Amino acid sequence: MFCVASTEIGAIMNITKGGLVLFSANSNSSCAELSRRIADRLGVEMGKVQVYQEPNRETRVQIQESVRGKDVFIIQTVSKDVNTTIMELLIMVYACKTSCAKSIIGVIPYFPYSKQCKMRKRGSIVSKLLASMMCKAGLTHLITMDLHQKEIQGFFNIPVDNLRASPFLLQYIQEEIPDYRNAVIVAKSPASAKRAQSFAERLRLGIAVIHGEAQDAESDLVDGRHSPPTAKSVAAIHPSLEIPMLIPKEKPPITVVGDVGGRIAIIVDDIIDDVDSFLAAAETLKERGAYKIFVMATHGLLSSDAPRLIEESAIDEVVVTNTIPHEIQKLQCPKIKTVDISMILSEAIRRIHNGESMSYLFRNIGLDD
């Protein structure tokens, strides 16, 4: 496990005022590893709580110590059973609220349903629904990391601290990729070009963008309710009304904007879930002459057959943080490496509990980061 060292943070990590309680809301023991790391860094014991599933699959939470008048931090990492994870969090938040906790801060490194943050046809904006449920349950503050869209913060009517994992990933590149000066940062689609540009400017490297991705890419999904009106309803508005139709998109052949020949290609993104687009990008980069390919992302969902597909692909290494537990996937694919981000989460908890400024954790972070 790769871990960033910081004497400045480490020297003050154990200094916290009284009245802090740290809970893990996961009934799945494999998801509690991040909570234990955070507790160790803060120098506190995990709060006593039972979270389990009834035989009828209902979630039950039993808090086994007093939280009256205390700052309660609930750490929830997302398991494969996302909906159960959400219910565990909501029930625990509400239990703390009814037990008269002073404040209830959710520490959710990966915010679930974050991809469903825009209207698609007659769907719904599920991220907004989830934000409303958390606030209604009693959450008073949220700590998260690398939201899929930063605008999700606006769905909440409570403070949201959207931390960044990029400093840890950048340090991994500098320390673990010996010839990184011969690398180029790659955006696998124009949608991720801003993130790639941010990495490239900080590492003083070049950038390449792959254009012409698969037709089912997220950016091509139809936005809004687009059913055309019937002929009768058009005539009712005005007999001669003819609304111009938007010309449909047509994807060009896959091209790489930028030189990757004889270079190390580092693909950056925020989430690795379905890996098909990453595999296609890796094949394209190999064809263009890249001799080594890395994939870097904050959240490693690695669903379905992702470990097997990565192992059989042209990708040399996949680097993700431990916002989501993926120990099983690492056993299936040695190419998957982990960067520990418990340090920044611990420092955020310490600063919020002690009433200190959070600006230290957002140094040199711009609007596009």
Side-chain angles (χ1 to χ4, degrees), residues 39-59:
D40 289 343
R41 289 186 178 277
L42 288 170
V44 300
E45 297 289 333
M46 291 298 301
K48 296 179 177 65
V49 63
Q50 277 191 332
V51 184
Y52 59 93
Q53 309 297 317
E54 297 277 14
N56 63 357
R57 301 302 297 162
E58 288 184 358
T59 299

Side-chain angles (χ1 to χ4, degrees), residues 175-234:
E175 295 182 357
E176 302 296 319
I177 303 178
D179 196 21
Y180 83 93
R181 290 293 181 188
N182 188 37
V184 59
I185 305 299
V186 179
K188 69 179 179 64
S189 70
S192 56
K194 282 187 177 181
R195 178 180 294 268
Q197 181 182 356
S198 174
F199 273 66
E201 289 176 352
R202 283 171 166 76
L203 292 169
R204 314 300 192 262
L205 299 176
I207 184 174
V209 180
I210 299 176
H211 184 47
E213 69 272 21
Q215 292 286 336
D216 60 350
E218 183 184 351
S219 58
D220 292 333
L221 295 178
V222 177
D223 192 8
R225 298 173 173 86
H226 69 299
S227 297
T230 61
K232 184 176 181 180
S233 63
V234 171

